[in-house]
Amino acid sequence: MNMNERFEAYIASDAKIEPKDWMPDAYRKTLIRQISQHAHSEVVGMLPEGNWVTRAPSLLRKSILLAKVQDEAGHGLYLYSACETLGVSRDDLIADLHSGKAKYSSIFNYPATSWADMGTVGWLVDGAAIMNQVPLCKTSYGPYARAMVRVCKEESFHQRQGFQILLALCNGTEAQKAMAQESLNRWWWPALMMFGPRDEDSQHTEESMRWRIKRFTNDELRQKFVDMTVPQAELLGLTIPDPDLKWNEERGHYDFGEIDWNEFHHVIRGNGPCNRERLEARRKAHEEGAWVRDAASAYAKKHARTDASSTHAA
Amino acid sequence: MSERSTWPLWEVFVRSRQGLSHRHVGSLHAPDAEMAIQNARDVYTRRQEGVSIWVLPASSITASSPADKDCLFEPANDKVYRHPTFYDLPDEVKNM
């Protein structure tokens, strides 16, 4: 058995790969791409919500939103750390995000224009993310799986707080309920797009399934998400903007309409409503924070010198 | 120009409560040990996960090589007599 065959057999036995183990280059590359995209999504995901921190309707809502944004930063860090175990540097990863070379989840290229969006983002966007992420707790690469366990533990608060925002709006005035419905109308389809292209159009699915990086296909997860979400929308009294949505007794699943794949590709190619704005905000934050990083480095260097000289003196 | 890329990697260990040992939770970059503790506190203990943190430079860890896995750990496989379950004793023997 050569190295490749041994690796495939090892993966097929559901064993985990750790950083120093031998792995095929393609496995390493796929992981770097997926984990870094995931990390970038967490980081860019802070932007639409950061926009609402100062305008949240109460001190409690502000605190909750801040805690959520702080979690996203932490998730980005867990994932960058996992990615670095594959031999890439943090600086290169960040440079790839800022140059537009690396991708992040397209959902964050849509604007959050109303307070209800903070509810919908938590409910649908974090809900879809959880659907994607829970199976990743069992992914074949150890550091990625461990990072995902932490992420999933924290993510469930995100979804629940979002649903609760919508619950409050839907039990409020007519105007508040209308705001919730308008928000759902805008986010429903982009949320379904979060699961990626159809299985037959997904270039990475087959290999990623064999390597047990992915544990379910895009369409499987999308169906699961729809089945889970429809009853929740009913509970809120909101209407999902899809005339083709109906329960299919025979399949035991909801049937739903076709995604606008043109829009999907349009946003991925960088032409969504906020692509440019998001990257500019990221670059600006990074550049304007440079002096803080430099100061911390200078402080550490100075103290390392003082410590060394005092040791010599003693 | 930023010197960010020279920040060393720190491994973070957290004691979840008194009476338990510190456990590895992850890693982070920081310019010095003090900042590493600060960052570890923000990243790994936001939900009462810990009462104490250790950080140590990742470069100071010496790890066994995956290639040595067999010669290091295989020898334990055929020494089942090291486990209490190896010894079949009559049911009448209590508390052992």
Side-chain angles (χ1 to χ4, degrees), chain A residues 10 20-21 70-71 74 77-78 81 84 90-91 150 154 157 293-294 296-297 299-301, chain B residues 1-5 7 25 27-29 31-32 34 42-44 46-47 49 63 66 69:
Chain A
Y10 191 66
K20 288 185 157 185
D21 293 335
Q70 199 183 10
D71 276 354
L77 184 134
Y78 307 153
S81 292
E84 285 174 83
R90 178 85 55 99
D91 287 336
R150 295 190 62 86
E154 299 180 352
F157 130 64
R293 298 191 294 276
D294 291 343
S297 294
Y299 181 87
K301 214 185 224 172
Chain B
M1 198 50 213
S2 169
E3 294 177 50
R4 171 68 175 74
S5 54
W7 284 5
V25 292
S27 54
L28 49 81
H29 290 279
D32 58 26
E34 200 184 332
D42 286 345
V43 176
Y44 292 107
R46 289 198 307 284
R47 289 183 173 80
E49 290 97 333
K69 203 153 58 182

Side-chain angles (χ1 to χ4, degrees), chain A residues 18 23 25 41 44 51 66 124 126 142 161 163 202 230 232 245 260 267 294 300 308 313:
Chain A
E18 293 294 343
M23 60 187 90
D25 279 345
S41 303
V44 177
N51 186 33
L66 264 178
L124 295 183
D126 290 302
Q161 67 85 36
F163 193 80
S202 169
V230 174
Q232 294 170 351
L245 185 80
D260 180 351
V267 181
D294 291 343

Side-chain angles (χ1 to χ4, degrees), chain A residues 53-69:
Chain A
V53 171
T54 55
R55 287 178 283 159
S58 70
L59 188 56
L60 179 63
R61 295 286 190 201
K62 281 190 219 300
S63 306
I64 292 171
L65 201 52
L66 264 178
K68 182 172 188 287
V69 171

Side-chain angles (χ1 to χ4, degrees), chain A residues 3 35 47 68 78 92 108 116-117 119 158 179 214 218 221 232 256 285 304 312:
Chain A
M3 294 293 259
I35 302 174
L47 297 172
K68 182 172 188 287
Y78 307 153
D92 288 345
F108 302 118
D117 287 0
H158 298 181
M179 188 200 278
K214 271 173 101 157
N218 297 353
L221 290 170
Q232 294 170 351
F256 54 98
H312 284 303

Side-chain angles (χ1 to χ4, degrees), chain B residues 20 33 40 44 49 56 62 67 95:
Chain B
L20 296 178
Y44 292 107
E49 290 97 333
L56 69 133
T62 308
N95 301 318

Side-chain angles (χ1 to χ4, degrees), chain A residues 231-244:
Chain A
Q232 294 170 351
E234 283 166 4
L235 209 119
L236 290 169
L238 296 177
T239 309
I240 289 177
D242 178 358
D244 297 326

Side-chain angles (χ1 to χ4, degrees), chain A:
Chain A
M1 239 199 292
N2 65 28
M3 294 293 259
N4 250 315
E5 289 162 351
R6 204 179 310 167
F7 179 84
E8 296 283 348
Y10 191 66
I11 289 265
S13 73
D14 228 3
K16 301 284 180 214
I17 306 298
E18 293 294 343
K20 288 185 157 185
D21 293 335
W22 186 88
M23 60 187 90
D25 279 345
Y27 177 83
R28 187 184 299 274
K29 267 195 204 128
T30 300
L31 276 173
I32 291 173
R33 180 179 48 77
Q34 183 171 331
I35 302 174
S36 66
Q37 274 183 18
H38 198 157
H40 299 327
S41 303
E42 297 284 355
V43 170
V44 177
M46 290 190 277
L47 297 172
E49 288 172 325
N51 186 33
W52 281 94
V53 171
T54 55
R55 287 178 283 159
S58 70
L59 188 56
L60 179 63
R61 295 286 190 201
K62 281 190 219 300
S63 306
I64 292 171
L65 201 52
L66 264 178
K68 182 172 188 287
V69 171
Q70 199 183 10
D71 276 354
E72 315 289 6
H75 297 175
L77 184 134
Y78 307 153
L79 288 159
Y80 282 129
S81 292
C83 202
E84 285 174 83
T85 64
L86 292 158
V88 282
S89 80
R90 178 85 55 99
D91 287 336
D92 288 345
L93 292 172
I94 300 214
D96 283 351
L97 170 65
H98 291 174
S99 73
K101 188 180 158 206
K103 296 262 181 283
Y104 55 86
S105 179
S106 275
I107 194 80
F108 302 118
N109 290 319
Y110 290 86
T113 52
S114 77
W115 168 248
D117 287 0
M118 292 303 95
T120 315
V121 165
W123 173 40
L124 295 183
V125 176
D126 290 302
I130 291 171
M131 200 89 323
N132 270 323
Q133 288 167 351
V134 167
L136 289 174
C137 295
K138 291 190 176 170
T139 192
S140 61
Y141 187 58
Y144 191 23
R146 291 191 285 275
M148 291 320 301
V149 170
R150 295 190 62 86
V151 170
C152 287
K153 243 186 229 165
E154 299 180 352
E155 201 79 48
S156 114
F157 130 64
H158 298 181
Q159 195 189 14
R160 291 173 68 101
Q161 67 85 36
F163 193 80
Q164 204 233 341
I165 288 174
L166 291 176
L167 207 54
L169 290 175
C170 290
N171 290 325
T173 63
E174 275 308 305
Q176 284 172 320
K177 191 162 181 189
M179 188 200 278
Q181 180 64 55
E182 189 274 336
S183 174
L184 174 60
N185 293 350
R186 278 183 291 112
W187 288 95
W188 174 253
W189 291 104
L192 292 193
M193 293 177 200
M194 284 178 71
F195 296 95
R198 276 180 303 223
D199 290 349
E200 62 264 34
D201 300 326
S202 169
Q203 44 174 329
H204 303 295
T205 292
E206 199 196 325
E207 195 175 57
S208 288
M209 294 283 286
R210 193 182 80 239
W211 280 336
R212 306 203 178 195
I213 296 173
K214 271 173 101 157
R215 312 297 311 238
F216 295 96
T217 71
N218 297 353
D219 286 332
E220 283 168 354
L221 290 170
R222 190 165 14 238
Q223 179 72 61
K224 228 169 136 182
F225 176 75
V226 172
D227 291 347
M228 181 193 82
T229 309
V230 174
Q232 294 170 351
E234 283 166 4
L235 209 119
L236 290 169
L238 296 177
T239 309
I240 289 177
D242 178 358
D244 297 326
L245 185 80
K246 62 169 186 297
W247 178 251
N248 183 326
E249 192 66 52
E250 206 174 304
R251 290 202 310 129
H253 293 291
Y254 282 93
D255 290 337
F256 54 98
E258 191 65 34
I259 288 171
D260 180 351
W261 295 108
N262 281 333
E263 177 181 328
F264 174 81
H265 292 294
H266 191 69
V267 181
I268 284 192
R269 273 192 221 105
N271 303 316
C274 299
N275 294 56
R276 207 170 313 151
E277 187 186 327
R278 298 295 186 231
L279 275 189
E280 266 163 27
R282 272 309 314 150
R283 281 191 216 111
K284 184 162 171 271
H286 194 69
E287 280 158 21
E288 291 180 356
W291 71 271
V292 179
R293 298 191 294 276
D294 291 343
S297 294
Y299 181 87
K301 214 185 224 172
K302 186 175 149 193
H303 281 260
R305 250 198 327 263
T306 338
D307 292 350
S309 61
S310 62
T311 319
H312 284 303

